[in-house]
């Protein structure tokens, strides 16, 4: 629908989190305020019943995947297909119960879902009959009518209502119930309704006799040729009765007799009177003209039935599905499923059943089967929902050519709403060897933890992703906090770092060594601690901007009565202080910095004197001993 306005409008859109489209409308006149609207691109997955259906269908899908070297038998394919139908039926029951309790707003959505499930289950059942059961001869027409009576049960409902009336023929649905039963081949139901009406006319008695004598095909113990012969004799007798005017005294009985004799105009008239779908006409016409028909004969009657019932243009979704199934046109069937359903679940699972039955193996221009294409679409739609992405993985992995590539791209774009979800995604990446995506996830989470000032968690993500560059950034943040408080945060994480991480980042190595210095001081190993810190400064593993802080950390040891340094170590510290003083003129230093440097010079001088004196005394003692 086009919307016209006198005010110029500027529209823009962006993709937001959880697959939602953010629409922005900016008026160039007036207030100029931005108006935002959020549109969900996958509204069907907001329904809990749909999500339950998706999860249950995925369990069936995963359990029935086979390698090309181990194809399914027909019995296994049927079991596989019926498992899907069982899930759909169970979903229908849940939705039906919910419709009894939900409010009006929810009821509309559930009604739409119920219609989708009913259409899906009905089409799926017929697909099993046509493609896998393949009934022969007289069994085919009976199977089609049985399917029709299961999925279009209006006549059963009407019959139950009519039988409650007294007398039954006064009920407004009496004749619709009679014709409905007749079109579905339920001759016993027709006879029950006629008996209940107490109609004693000759036409009624003759018709009931005709109905009771109508041959019924028995798969066990009856050859098709035998059945065909009996049925032809019965039909000829009925036609003779019609030509002799046996039913002339009752128009309803005459019309019913014409339907039984296979008069197509009478069948069509009854179908139109009941507003029944086109396939009701087709199946009734088959049953009353050639009930022993084989499948190719049924196919030959399809186009004529469609033409008599208004053509393809009058079809709804269900009509189109039934049309393509009866014609055994898999390509058009899959196309119809893809176009008519808002979600890919029906087309994808149906295509996989055909694939397992080795009926859908043709490849397209991209060298992939239709089944793989549909699984990619369906798996992709699930990957875009934050509640179902882990289900979509199974479908993408079953597409040998492009599945892994699609999965990598989707995993890289998943919104990581929590640490728990990030760990789940990371586990998937590691399981399937997606090293680049795993590193990207760790990097994203490390940055997030840095923003939240959780440096220990950030460093853990760096370690998980083996990311030296990000570890360097986190180490900088650690050292910034150290410079402010002269304390190291999250020391337990530093203690758990392995040697591999230390080789990847020089600053992280310095950070761990600084932690080691503090541990040595805490355990009373001061001499080893002093040697470690001096070595960090001398080797320049410690950045120059931290030297001043490190030497200040050594100040208590410099002033200690114990001799904790060697002369060379004291000289190294003096050189470091001199270098710091030269790199920053006194005019650029504040009074506190100048005072601290003077204090360090004095402490180092006293420490050097103490060390030198200690060495001299040691030499004297050695000389005396000699």
């Amino acid at each position: 629908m086009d919307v016209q306005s006198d005010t110029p409008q500027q529209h823009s859109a962006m993709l937001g989190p959880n697959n939602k489209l953010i629409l922005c409308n900016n008026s160039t006149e007036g207030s100029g305020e931005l108006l935002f609207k959020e549109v969900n691109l996958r509204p069907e997955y907001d329904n809990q019943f749909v999500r339950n259906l998706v999860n249950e269908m995925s369990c069936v899908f995963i359990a029935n995947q086979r390698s090309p070297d181990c194809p399914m038998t027909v019995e296994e394919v049927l079991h596989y297909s019926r498992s899907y139908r069982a899930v759909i039926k169970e979903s229908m029951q849940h939705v039906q119960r919910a419709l009894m309790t939900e409010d009006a707003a929810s009821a509309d959505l559930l009604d739409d879902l119920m219609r989708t499930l009913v259409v899906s289950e009905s089409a799926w059942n017929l697909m099993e009959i046509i493609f896998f059961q393949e009934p022969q001869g007289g069994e085919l027409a009976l199977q089609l009518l049985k399917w029709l009576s299961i999925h279009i049960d209006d006549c059963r409902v009407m019959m139950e209502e009519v039988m409650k009336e007294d007398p039954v023929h006064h009920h407004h649905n009496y004749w619709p119930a009679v014709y409905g039963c007749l079109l579905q081949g339920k001759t016993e139901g027709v006879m029950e309704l006629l008996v209940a009406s107490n109609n004693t006319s000759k036409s009624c008695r003759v018709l009931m006799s005709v109905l009771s004598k109508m041959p019924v095909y028995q798969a066990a113990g009856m050859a098709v040729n035998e059945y065909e012969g009996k049925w032809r004799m019965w039909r000829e007798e009925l036609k003779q009765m019609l030509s002799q005017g046996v039913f002339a005294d009752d128009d309803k009985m005459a019309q019913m007799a014409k339907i039984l004799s296979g008069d197509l105009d009478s069948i069509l008239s009854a179908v139109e009177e009941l507003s029944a779908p086109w396939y009701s006409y087709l199946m009734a016409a088959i049953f009353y003209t050639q009930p022993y028909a084989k499948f190719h004969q049924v196919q030959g009657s399809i186009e004529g039935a469609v033409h008599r019932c208004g053509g393809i243009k009058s079809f709804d979704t269900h009509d189109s599905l039934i049309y393509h199934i009866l014609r055994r046109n898999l390509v058009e069937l899959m196309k119809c499923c893809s176009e008519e359903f808002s979600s890919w679940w029906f087309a994808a699972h149906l295509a996989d059943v055909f694939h397992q039955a080795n009926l859908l193996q043709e490849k397209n221009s991209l060298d992939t089967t239709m089944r793989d294409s549909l699984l990619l679409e369906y798996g992709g739609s699930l990957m875009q929902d934050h509640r179902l992405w882990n289900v979509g993985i199974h479908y993408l992995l079953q597409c040998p050519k492009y599945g892994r590539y699609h999965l990598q791209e989707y995993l890289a774009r998943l919104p990581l709403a929590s640490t728990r979800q990030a760990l789940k995604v990371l586990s998937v990446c590691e399981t399937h060897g997606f090293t680049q995506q795993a590193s990207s996830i760790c990097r994203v989470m490390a940055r997030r933890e840095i923003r939240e000032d959780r440096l220990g968690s950030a460093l853990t993500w760096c370690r998980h992703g083996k990311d030296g560059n990000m570890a360097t950034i986190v180490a900088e943040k650690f050292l910034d906090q150290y410079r402010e408080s002269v304390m190291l945060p999250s020391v337990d994480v530093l203690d758990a770092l392995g040697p591999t991480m230390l080789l990847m980042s020089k600053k992280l190595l310095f950070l761990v060594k600084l932690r080691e210095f503090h541990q040595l001081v805490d355990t009373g190993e001061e001499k080893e601690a002093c040697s470690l810190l001096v070595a960090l400064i001398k080797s320049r593993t410690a950045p120059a901007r931290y030297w001043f802080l490190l030497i200040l950390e050594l100040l208590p040891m410099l002033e200690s009565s114990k001799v904790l340094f060697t002369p060379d170590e004291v000289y190294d510290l003096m050189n470091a202080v001199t270098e710091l003083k030269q790199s920053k003129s006194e005019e650029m230093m504040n009074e506190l910095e100048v005072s601290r440097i003077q204090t360090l010079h004095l402490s180092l001088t006293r420490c050097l004197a103490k060390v030198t004196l200690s060495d001299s005394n040691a030499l004297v003692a050695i000389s005396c001993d000699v």
Side-chain angles (χ1 to χ4, degrees):
M1 180 176 67
D2 294 326
V3 179
Q4 295 183 353
S5 173
D6 296 332
T7 303
Q9 302 285 330
Q10 291 183 349
H11 303 275
S12 59
M14 62 181 290
L15 189 63
N18 298 332
N19 203 49
K20 291 186 177 180
L21 190 68
I22 310 299
L23 299 179
C24 174
N25 180 11
N26 183 17
S27 174
T28 57
E29 296 183 3
S31 64
E33 294 182 352
L34 292 175
L35 302 177
F36 292 95
K37 185 175 181 180
E38 198 174 65
V39 180
N40 192 349
L41 297 181
R42 292 285 174 193
E44 65 271 16
Y45 296 139
D46 287 341
N47 189 307
Q48 180 63 47
F49 295 102
V50 175
R51 294 200 298 275
N52 290 342
L53 174 69
V54 167
N55 282 303
E56 291 295 328
M57 296 283 268
S58 71
C59 292
V60 176
F61 175 82
I62 295 168
N64 287 276
Q65 294 308 299
R66 296 286 188 87
S67 67
D69 300 331
C70 185
M72 287 186 177
T73 63
V74 175
E75 291 76 16
E76 289 173 329
V77 172
L78 263 176
H79 180 268
Y80 180 28
S81 177
R82 286 168 179 165
S83 298
Y84 280 132
R85 274 210 301 131
V87 172
I88 297 174
K89 284 183 177 180
E90 185 179 3
S91 296
M92 290 166 60
Q93 294 172 0
H94 292 323
V95 174
Q96 188 64 50
R97 285 196 292 268
L99 280 169
M100 299 177 183
T101 58
E102 294 290 335
D103 55 35
S106 300
D108 290 339
L109 296 174
L110 292 179
D111 276 333
D112 291 339
L113 176 58
M114 190 67 181
R115 281 191 291 271
T116 299
L117 293 174
V118 168
V119 168
S120 303
E121 200 276 329
S122 170
W124 204 303
N125 189 8
L126 183 62
M127 178 273 295
E128 290 175 352
I129 296 171
I130 298 301
F131 287 94
F132 304 133
Q133 295 180 0
E134 298 182 340
Q136 301 297 320
E139 194 178 353
L140 176 58
L142 291 177
Q143 285 274 42
L144 292 177
L145 287 179
K146 181 181 178 181
W147 170 84
L148 188 65
S149 64
I150 291 173
H151 297 286
I152 301 182
D153 60 350
D154 295 350
C155 69
R156 179 187 60 81
V157 175
M158 287 190 293
M159 184 175 175
E160 291 176 355
E161 294 176 353
V162 167
M163 295 303 288
K164 295 176 184 178
E165 187 85 5
D166 188 21
V168 296
H169 60 279
H170 285 176
H171 195 283
H172 66 282
N173 277 332
Y174 175 75
W175 286 110
V178 172
Y179 286 127
C181 288
L182 195 61
L183 290 176
Q184 292 186 3
K186 298 179 178 179
T187 55
E188 292 181 357
V190 175
M191 293 174 67
E192 184 179 351
L193 288 167
L194 292 177
V195 170
S197 69
N198 295 321
N199 189 335
T200 58
S201 66
K202 177 185 176 182
S203 298
C204 184
R205 292 197 306 273
V206 173
L207 187 66
M208 290 183 64
S209 175
V210 170
L211 286 169
S212 65
K213 295 177 182 179
M214 181 178 179
V216 179
Y217 178 73
Q218 302 291 337
M222 179 181 287
V224 175
N225 292 338
E226 178 188 354
Y227 168 65
E228 182 179 350
K230 290 181 177 180
W231 184 84
R232 287 184 181 278
M233 289 178 59
W234 172 84
R235 184 187 186 194
E236 287 302 320
E237 290 179 7
L238 178 57
K239 283 188 174 182
Q240 286 181 6
M241 292 179 188
L242 283 167
S243 64
Q244 293 169 5
V246 173
F247 304 100
D249 61 332
D250 192 322
D251 291 341
K252 295 293 186 182
M253 299 300 151
Q255 185 178 7
M256 291 170 65
K258 289 180 180 178
I259 291 174
L260 288 169
S261 69
D263 183 76
L264 297 181
D265 290 334
S266 298
I267 295 173
L268 180 61
S269 176
V271 168
E272 291 175 343
E273 186 176 339
L274 295 174
S275 300
W278 72 273
Y279 44 87
S280 290
Y281 168 79
L282 171 67
M283 294 173 186
I286 293 294
F287 185 66
Y288 291 118
T289 58
Q290 42 183 349
Y292 42 80
K294 297 180 181 179
F295 185 73
H296 71 274
Q297 293 171 304
V298 173
Q299 282 189 310
S301 304
I302 293 174
E303 299 303 331
V306 170
H307 177 73
R308 290 180 72 95
C309 294
I312 294 177
K313 291 182 179 180
S314 63
F315 282 5
D316 60 15
T317 300
H318 196 208
D319 292 334
S320 299
L321 289 173
I322 302 307
Y323 175 72
H324 295 307
I325 291 172
L326 289 172
R327 294 180 70 238
R328 291 178 65 99
N329 190 330
L330 285 182
V331 174
E332 289 300 321
L333 174 61
M334 292 295 102
K335 181 180 177 182
C336 180
C337 294
S338 303
E339 292 176 348
E340 297 294 341
F341 290 90
S342 60
S343 175
W344 294 96
W345 66 265
F346 181 74
H349 292 104
L350 193 63
D352 190 60
V353 172
F354 286 128
H355 174 81
Q356 299 295 349
N358 206 31
L359 295 176
L360 200 64
Q361 299 292 342
E362 298 81 3
K363 295 187 177 181
N364 58 23
S365 58
L366 296 177
D367 193 33
T368 182
T369 63
M370 182 181 293
R371 172 257 194 184
D372 288 355
S373 298
L374 290 170
L375 289 184
L376 288 173
E377 290 291 349
Y378 179 55
S381 72
L382 296 176
M383 291 295 296
Q384 294 174 52
D385 188 278
H386 66 285
R387 296 154 297 196
L388 297 170
W389 65 268
N390 53 329
V391 179
I393 292 171
H394 302 294
Y395 293 91
L396 295 180
L397 289 176
Q398 289 301 322
C399 304
K401 191 171 182 61
Y402 296 108
R404 285 178 60 85
Y405 299 111
H406 281 238
L407 180 56
Q408 289 180 61
E409 293 300 319
Y410 282 119
L411 289 174
R413 288 164 173 76
L414 277 176
L416 305 175
S418 65
T419 301
R420 182 180 179 184
Q421 184 177 0
L423 288 171
K424 285 183 178 180
V425 179
L426 183 61
S427 176
V428 173
C429 292
E430 292 175 342
T431 299
H432 300 289
F434 300 153
T435 307
Q436 185 177 350
Q437 284 70 27
S439 299
S440 176
I441 291 168
C442 292
R443 193 175 303 117
V444 169
M445 293 305 296
R447 289 196 181 107
R448 182 181 298 178
E449 299 294 354
I450 291 173
R451 288 195 298 270
E452 298 294 331
D453 200 28
R454 294 193 288 263
L455 299 183
S457 297
L459 193 55
T460 300
W461 282 109
C462 295
R463 183 182 64 184
H464 212 133
K466 299 179 176 60
D467 190 335
N469 292 332
M470 184 56 65
T472 299
I473 295 174
V474 177
E476 286 277 6
K477 298 293 183 180
F478 267 90
L479 292 171
D480 288 343
Q481 289 194 10
Y482 166 72
R483 189 162 51 183
E484 292 174 3
S485 60
V486 199
M487 291 181 62
L488 289 175
S490 304
V491 292
D492 53 335
V493 178
L494 294 176
D495 293 341
L497 291 175
T500 304
M501 281 298 299
L502 302 183
L503 293 175
M504 296 174 66
S505 171
K506 188 176 180 180
K507 286 187 178 177
L508 192 57
L509 174 61
F510 163 58
L511 192 61
V512 172
K513 291 297 181 181
L514 185 57
R515 164 61 180 161
E516 186 179 337
F517 163 77
H518 287 148
Q519 286 178 314
L520 291 171
V521 172
D522 292 340
T523 57
E525 301 175 72
E526 293 177 329
K527 186 172 180 62
E528 290 80 2
C530 294
S531 298
L532 174 62
L533 214 57
V534 173
L536 289 176
I537 295 173
K538 183 179 179 181
S539 65
R540 297 184 179 271
T541 300
R545 63 178 179 275
Y546 296 106
W547 289 359
F548 190 74
L549 284 175
L550 297 178
I551 299 173
L552 283 178
E553 289 247 42
L554 292 173
L555 191 57
M557 276 77 89
L558 290 171
E559 298 290 349
S560 173
S561 59
K562 299 178 183 178
V563 177
L564 302 174
F565 297 87
T566 66
D568 289 340
E569 289 174 342
V570 177
Y571 282 123
D572 288 335
L573 292 176
M574 285 181 167
N575 291 334
V577 172
T578 302
E579 186 175 336
L580 285 174
K581 188 176 180 180
Q582 290 174 349
S583 65
K584 196 173 184 181
S585 62
E586 291 191 11
E587 291 78 8
M588 297 177 63
M589 291 189 291
N590 56 40
E591 293 182 3
L592 180 60
E593 290 176 328
V594 172
S595 175
R596 283 180 172 176
I597 287 180
Q598 290 174 351
T599 301
L600 287 177
H601 270 299
L602 289 173
S603 295
L604 288 168
T605 302
R606 286 196 293 267
C607 182
L608 181 61
K610 179 174 57 180
V611 171
T612 304
L613 179 61
S614 174
D615 287 350
S616 299
N617 291 337
L619 290 173
V620 170
I622 293 170
S623 299
C624 292
D625 291 340
V626 174

